[in-house]
Amino acid sequence: MLETREGGCHCGRVRIRAEVDLELMSNCSCTVCTKKGMLHLGTDLATFQLLRGKSALKSYTFGTDVAQHTFCSHCGMHPFYIPRSQPHRVIVNARCLDDIDGPSLKPTRFFDGRHWEDAQRRRIADAGHAPPADAHGAKTLQAILDRAPE
């Protein structure tokens, strides 16, 4: 069930609002998500807002430079990021949502990020949703920043 939720980083400088479905929470086995303990809730760019923290937000990228792993430059928390697998979408970290009991979260889906290329091919074959050819995480992140308040 889609619902509008708010959340943010630990220190409160970065705040977000997004339309998410907690029943569609997923886990990824890639090294970044595993080390962060990230639990993914996908949302469309149109239903995501950076409410504050534009100047506190930093991005880490590696490999193909498509994914934008955002984090608060003050407390280091990562309330959202732009994934390589769907660079036109936004992934909210369920653990960073307000009024969430982190230990009770149970992801229902899984993405095999340790074998990213094969997992992406399977995801597209199963769901039929390839990212747009011109999609890039940097463009999606810039669109978020462009419409965010100072």
Side-chain angles (χ1 to χ4, degrees), residues 120-132:
Q120 177 72 344
R121 276 192 288 277
R122 280 192 306 275
R123 189 186 69 75
I124 291 170
D126 293 347
H129 300 290

Side-chain angles (χ1 to χ4, degrees), residues 4-119:
T4 300
R5 301 291 300 253
E6 290 191 11
C9 66
H10 188 258
C11 72
R13 285 181 172 93
V14 175
R15 293 290 298 166
I16 63 170
R17 179 182 299 134
E19 193 173 273
V20 296
D21 185 343
L22 291 172
E23 298 296 317
L24 298 178
M25 187 183 333
S26 66
N27 198 2
C28 173
S29 66
C30 82
T31 56
V32 172
C33 293
T34 298
K35 289 179 184 279
K36 286 197 269 187
M38 183 89 164
L39 292 179
H40 302 73
L41 291 169
T43 192
D44 292 320
L45 180 59
T47 64
F48 179 86
Q49 289 178 278
L50 177 60
L51 301 173
R52 73 171 176 251
K54 184 175 178 175
S55 63
L57 203 62
K58 299 295 180 201
S59 182
Y60 168 70
T61 186
F62 62 96
T64 64
D65 292 328
V66 174
Q68 303 292 309
H69 296 273
T70 60
F71 61 95
C72 174
S73 62
H74 297 275
C75 68
M77 294 307 297
H78 38 270
F80 75 96
Y81 83 107
I82 315 302
R84 178 180 170 209
S85 60
Q86 299 177 359
H88 59 296
R89 299 195 77 215
V90 181
I91 300 298
V92 172
N93 185 353
R95 295 180 191 274
C96 289
L97 293 174
D98 296 342
D99 303 318
I100 288 287
D101 176 27
S104 71
L105 293 174
K106 304 286 186 247
T108 59
R109 301 183 318 160
F110 175 75
F111 185 79
D112 186 8
R114 296 232 181 218
H115 305 100
W116 194 93
E117 301 296 337
D118 290 336

